[in-house]
Amino acid sequence: MNNKKIFNLFVNPGWNADSSGFSYITQQKNLKQFNKIDFKKMQVGPLLDQERLAKQLSALLKTPVAAADLPVTNVRQKDKTHLAITASGKNYMLNLADYSLEPAKGEHENEKEAISPDGQWIAYTDKYNLFIKATKTGEIKQLSKEGRKNYEYASYYEWGEIIEGENGERPPHFNVQWSPDSKWIQAYICDLTKGQKMYLLDWSVDTLYRARLLSYYRGSPGDTDMVYMTPVLFNVETGEEIRMDEYRNVNETALEWSKEPGLIYIENRKRGYQQVDLYLYDVNNKKQDLLYSEKSPTNIDNYSSEVVNEWGKIIITSEKDGWKQLYLLDIKSKNLLPITNGSYYVNSILFIDNKSRSILFTASGKEQERNPYFQHLYRINIDRKETILLTPENANHDVSVSPDGKYFVDNISTLDMPTRTVLRETATGKIIREISKANIDELLAMNFHFPEAFTATGRDGITIIYGAIWKPSNFDGTKKYPVIDQSYTGPHTNMFPRSFAAAIGRNNQALAELGFIVVTVDGLGTAGRSKAFHDVSYKNMGKNLTDHVLAIKELGKRYTWIDTTRVGIFGHSAGGYDAGHAVLEFPDFYKVAVASSADHDFRMEKDWWPEMYMGWPVDSTYNQVSNITMAGNLKGKLLIVHGGIDENVNPSATFKLAEALVKADKEFDMLIFPSQHHGYQGKFNDYFTKKLWNYFVEHLLGAKPVWDFPLN
């Protein structure tokens, strides 16, 4: 119960497996409460005995646990006598009969074998080869023969898996996919023989006085010596092996068995993300049929496919016509017809009703005269093409649908309207009952200013872009305030805080309280709007901040209290790239920057992300947008920060930028957290927060920083 001032900004329902109701957590100042709703009675009641669970957790975690503040973040009913809970970051199964707790196995956690759907065979690996064993007789069949270390059958590759020492062992992996009729088994050959590694030095073990060498397999943009995954199929009866070498890829080619015997779908994304092909493969005659192909001169970033066997159709999500929309592909005729159509962005499919042939989906920008980032829930019948809005309120709707599709929980809010959570029926969108309301009374007592949405004109002089402003609670319109830009222009997402929880969760208000105006901007090139809007950043990510500069200047003309001569910026990861890039590409505008865990040069990143947004093969544009090649442009103050064992964005680019800045004789500051990964935890996050605040206080506000204060 870390937060003592605001409560119930978001309710995450734990749906009962049989759709008979759901559980949820609400919080008051001195009580975290676990509730349940039974759909038959539509009454709220206690989900569990919090005193009994507190005793069990105290014994399990070996630390005192208060019944009013259980360290449980997620809970849902598995059956009448068992609850699945997440406590202190780990998953457990709670037996309500005796309140015993057992560790819950994750979907792939510690899995070393897979039983066939008919229960006749168990698949497993031994010495990197795939075997099956008969459950009745114990008969063993060896399906693969060529497996060896670093050429491993029925394995997979995780791009963040850490190997200790130069010749250390990779964590064990096992994964197969049985056909529904149990006659075939699909797996991958994980080929690491030419895979290149990235390295880290871990100085964090107090009892060691030499750093631990850590490594992980990771390809960079343009590499050809990488980890490759090859799909392979085995006939259980004959042992026949079908190698699909044509689908050998640096990413797993997705395969999914059809419910029709002997058929498997193959979704192959070409490297460079400019082409995707969907095939239906017949294992009996070894023939494949191309069902769908999509190509793009830029990238294909929002494609997905979902087979609906009962309809004989495939639902495809694509931006091919300019907006992310839903399409229906007939498997036999290969006809592709639009399900949805319009100048709006489909976010996700939440439920498919086979009987009524309808789809529940969320979308943004469909309702005219509303913020284009607000999300709403819709239902559409694929035959009548009738789209029904189920969440009519002019606000953002974060929703969760029950397993049977009859109900949904709706968190309704905006950046300046606290959350109201309700239960609705999907047939009409009718509100059945209120679940909770956000309580921000103590925040309001502190003279809290709600964040404000704003619009500005994009670099094309036409497009309206959106952003948000945070002001200090003692805001004085007669003063001039320096501006801090919180940035993350990574093209796969957007920053506008469409919900109240997002607006509060940014911690931008705390930064504003120090005497700043804090803004965030979604310029051209970010996600969530049209394909053309998104494509502005393709092979051009370094220019993503242009709209930020224009928007802040426009705000400066609009409001006398904005000082555009004192502008700072901060960001993490891709946002850290933005922060570093801002003071290098726009050194006369951005005066102070804090860049944390940044990918300062995309050539040193993981392969897939830059190849998606900067293209493949690697060309001169990578050099043009690199922060490292621009080091000589620095005029203002720059703090670069990184975790020493960051396996997501390797710290090497931060070190390389530091070298370039030294060679360019530029003054800068650097902070390394030797024990931290991509995000900073606990005291390290507190330290970084204080460092960031003080950096702007000193260099942008021109005030004396204060270090010795408690950070709550």
Side-chain angles (χ1 to χ4, degrees):
M1 205 181 299
N2 295 322
N3 187 350
K4 298 287 187 179
K5 298 194 186 320
I6 53 177
F7 312 104
N8 306 321
L9 298 187
F10 183 85
V11 171
N12 183 27
W15 297 103
N16 296 356
D18 61 0
S19 292
S20 61
F22 66 95
S23 55
Y24 64 100
I25 303 171
T26 54
Q27 189 170 306
Q28 303 168 29
K29 186 174 180 65
N30 297 308
L31 176 63
K32 188 175 184 179
Q33 197 162 355
F34 295 80
N35 317 283
K36 68 177 179 180
I37 285 184
D38 186 314
F39 288 151
K40 288 182 179 180
K41 299 179 180 179
M42 281 299 171
Q43 293 178 348
V44 177
L47 175 66
L48 49 81
D49 186 327
Q50 296 187 208
E51 291 285 351
R52 292 184 69 183
L53 182 55
K55 291 179 180 178
Q56 292 289 352
L57 287 173
S58 295
L60 179 70
L61 302 175
K62 297 180 180 179
T63 186
V65 171
D69 193 16
L70 295 172
V72 174
T73 54
N74 192 26
V75 59
R76 67 186 182 91
Q77 194 161 8
K78 294 289 287 185
D79 54 48
K80 292 183 179 180
T81 58
H82 291 87
L83 295 177
I85 71 171
T86 302
S88 297
K90 294 185 178 180
N91 297 321
Y92 299 94
M93 193 66 65
L94 172 66
N95 188 326
L96 293 174
D98 59 7
Y99 272 71
S100 60
L101 284 166
E102 294 289 339
K105 288 187 177 180
E107 187 175 353
H108 298 293
E109 185 180 359
N110 298 324
E111 287 187 0
K112 297 180 181 179
E113 56 186 39
I115 192 166
S116 61
D118 64 7
Q120 300 298 308
W121 296 96
I122 296 174
Y124 65 98
T125 56
D126 184 26
K127 296 179 180 178
Y128 310 109
N129 279 302
L130 179 61
F131 293 77
I132 55 174
K133 181 171 69 173
T135 56
K136 291 183 180 179
T137 66
E139 174 194 2
I140 293 176
K141 290 185 179 182
Q142 182 174 352
L143 296 180
S144 69
K145 307 290 195 303
E146 299 176 4
R148 60 189 185 277
K149 185 177 180 180
N150 292 332
Y151 191 81
E152 303 168 8
Y153 278 78
S155 185
Y156 59 92
Y157 156 68
E158 291 183 327
W159 57 266
E161 59 189 19
I162 298 295
I163 301 168
E164 188 169 342
E166 179 59 49
N167 299 308
E169 290 290 329
R170 203 168 64 100
H173 296 310
F174 173 76
N175 185 41
V176 297
Q177 186 184 185
W178 283 96
S179 64
D181 61 7
S182 302
K183 293 182 178 180
W184 291 84
I185 192 168
Q186 183 264 317
Y188 293 94
I189 303 170
C190 182
D191 183 359
L192 303 117
T193 52
K194 293 185 178 180
Q196 295 194 60
K197 290 182 178 179
M198 289 187 179
Y199 294 90
L200 300 164
L201 288 174
D202 182 7
W203 302 88
S204 67
V205 182
D206 292 339
T207 57
L208 295 180
Y209 301 99
R210 294 182 180 179
R212 292 192 306 164
L213 176 65
L214 306 178
S215 66
Y216 51 101
Y217 286 99
R218 180 71 58 82
S220 295
D223 285 353
T224 54
D225 290 340
M226 302 174 71
V227 176
Y228 284 89
M229 302 294 293
T230 303
V232 60
L233 307 174
F234 291 98
N235 185 305
V236 172
E237 182 178 349
T238 66
E240 177 189 11
E241 177 180 355
I242 302 175
R243 289 174 53 105
M244 297 183 161
D245 290 304
E246 66 270 35
Y247 299 119
R248 181 174 179 264
N249 206 335
V250 295
N251 301 305
E252 285 186 6
T253 297
L255 284 82
E256 179 184 346
W257 288 106
S258 169
K259 289 186 177 179
E260 188 175 341
L263 299 178
I264 191 168
Y265 296 96
I266 304 170
E267 186 178 281
N268 185 40
R269 299 178 187 234
K270 303 270 187 175
R271 188 170 182 185
Y273 302 96
Q274 292 179 288
Q275 180 175 342
V276 60
D277 300 314
L278 181 61
Y279 297 93
L280 184 60
Y281 183 84
D282 191 324
V283 298
N284 298 305
N285 58 27
K286 314 297 187 296
K287 291 183 179 180
Q288 65 183 24
D289 189 16
L290 179 62
L291 302 179
Y292 177 78
S293 182
E294 183 174 325
K295 297 179 182 179
S296 173
T298 54
N299 58 6
I300 299 174
D301 190 17
N302 282 300
Y303 169 90
S304 67
S305 64
E306 184 170 355
V307 179
V308 186
N309 289 284
E310 292 80 0
W311 300 351
K313 312 282 188 183
I314 299 173
I315 298 174
I316 287 176
T317 306
S318 172
E319 288 182 310
K320 70 183 190 67
D321 294 326
W323 290 85
K324 186 182 177 186
Q325 296 288 315
L326 303 178
Y327 299 84
L328 197 64
L329 176 69
D330 187 279
I331 295 172
K332 291 186 177 180
S333 70
K334 303 176 190 175
N335 286 337
L336 184 74
L337 298 173
I339 299 173
T340 60
N341 185 32
S343 301
Y344 61 92
Y345 188 93
V346 173
N347 291 311
S348 58
I349 295 173
L350 297 187
F351 187 79
I352 298 172
D353 191 324
N354 292 322
K355 291 183 179 179
S356 68
R357 293 169 63 81
S358 62
I359 300 169
L360 294 176
F361 69 94
T362 55
S364 299
K366 190 176 189 318
E367 305 307 308
Q368 298 300 309
E369 307 302 323
R370 295 188 182 183
N371 187 300
Y373 296 104
F374 284 172
Q375 176 176 262
H376 293 273
L377 180 68
Y378 301 88
R379 188 180 73 251
I380 187 169
N381 181 282
I382 66 168
D383 299 315
R384 297 191 300 271
K385 300 289 173 58
E386 179 186 12
T387 304
I388 298 173
L389 173 65
L390 299 175
T391 53
E393 298 85 359
N394 184 6
N396 181 68
H397 299 263
D398 286 319
V399 303
S400 176
V401 178
S402 64
D404 63 3
K406 292 182 179 180
Y407 300 97
F408 67 98
V409 169
D410 184 7
N411 290 278
I412 310 168
S413 71
T414 68
L415 82 170
D416 57 359
M417 183 181 80
T419 313
R420 178 189 178 212
T421 305
V422 298
L423 175 66
R424 311 179 93 136
E425 60 180 21
T426 56
T428 64
K430 176 185 175 183
I431 295 176
I432 298 172
R433 68 171 298 143
E434 185 171 276
I435 302 301
S436 77
K437 292 182 74 171
N439 183 334
I440 62 165
D441 291 346
E442 293 194 42
L443 201 61
L444 295 175
M446 299 169 63
N447 196 33
F448 170 71
H449 280 263
F450 286 99
E452 301 171 18
F454 72 86
T455 60
T457 305
R459 74 191 85 168
D460 60 1
I462 301 172
T463 304
I464 301 300
I465 61 173
Y466 289 75
I469 297 176
W470 288 260
K471 299 175 181 176
S473 58
N474 61 353
F475 174 76
D476 182 348
T478 65
K479 293 183 177 180
K480 272 192 172 291
Y481 292 88
V483 181
I484 299 177
D485 180 0
Q486 185 205 17
S487 182
Y488 191 102
T489 68
H492 59 287
T493 189
N494 53 270
M495 286 288 285
F496 183 85
R498 64 190 191 189
S499 70
F500 190 72
I504 294 296
R506 296 280 175 83
N507 290 325
N508 285 344
Q509 187 61 46
L511 184 55
E513 295 296 335
L514 299 175
F516 302 104
I517 299 297
V518 182
V519 303
T520 188
V521 183
D522 277 317
L524 292 160
T526 52
R529 296 179 69 177
S530 70
K531 174 66 172 165
F533 188 101
H534 199 193
D535 277 349
V536 171
S537 62
Y538 185 68
K539 299 177 80 68
N540 193 32
M541 283 203 280
K543 300 296 183 182
N544 278 3
L545 291 164
T546 303
D547 291 311
H548 292 228
V549 174
L550 293 174
I552 294 170
K553 286 181 176 179
E554 188 173 333
L555 290 173
K557 293 177 181 178
R558 193 181 304 171
Y559 303 117
T560 58
W561 37 267
I562 284 185
D563 185 354
T564 57
T565 67
R566 292 184 294 166
V567 181
I569 185 171
F570 74 98
H572 188 80
S573 194
Y577 164 81
D578 289 346
H581 200 80
V583 288
L584 299 174
E585 172 112 5
F586 306 96
D588 294 321
F589 184 76
Y590 287 103
K591 306 299 172 58
V592 182
V594 178
S596 55
S597 298
D599 44 356
H600 291 291
D601 191 305
F602 299 130
R603 292 168 294 189
M604 303 175 70
E605 250 273 36
K606 61 186 81 69
D607 62 289
W608 69 267
W609 195 85
E611 289 183 7
M612 170 69 81
Y613 300 110
M614 287 297 297
W616 179 83
V618 171
D619 59 20
S620 60
T621 58
Y622 279 77
N623 186 73
Q624 292 167 14
V625 304
S626 170
N627 290 348
I628 295 166
T629 62
M630 296 182 177
N633 295 348
L634 181 64
K635 293 181 180 179
K637 298 296 295 184
L638 172 62
L639 169 62
I640 52 178
V641 185
H642 221 113
I645 52 175
D646 183 351
E647 77 282 4
N648 184 342
V649 176
N650 193 281
S652 54
T654 287
F655 291 133
K656 204 171 186 70
L657 175 60
E659 284 276 301
L661 290 166
V662 170
K663 290 177 180 177
D665 196 28
K666 297 296 181 178
E667 185 181 3
F668 68 100
D669 297 289
M670 183 165 69
L671 171 63
I672 301 297
F673 294 120
S675 66
Q676 296 300 289
H677 294 270
H678 194 54
Y680 317 141
Q681 303 299 316
K683 291 183 177 180
F684 297 94
N685 184 60
D686 291 349
Y687 189 97
F688 170 69
T689 299
K690 290 168 70 172
K691 191 74 173 177
L692 181 145
W693 289 357
N694 276 315
Y695 206 74
F696 287 121
V697 164
E698 180 178 4
H699 300 297
L700 193 63
L701 192 62
K704 183 178 180 180
V706 177
W707 187 262
D708 293 323
F709 63 92
L711 186 65
N712 295 322

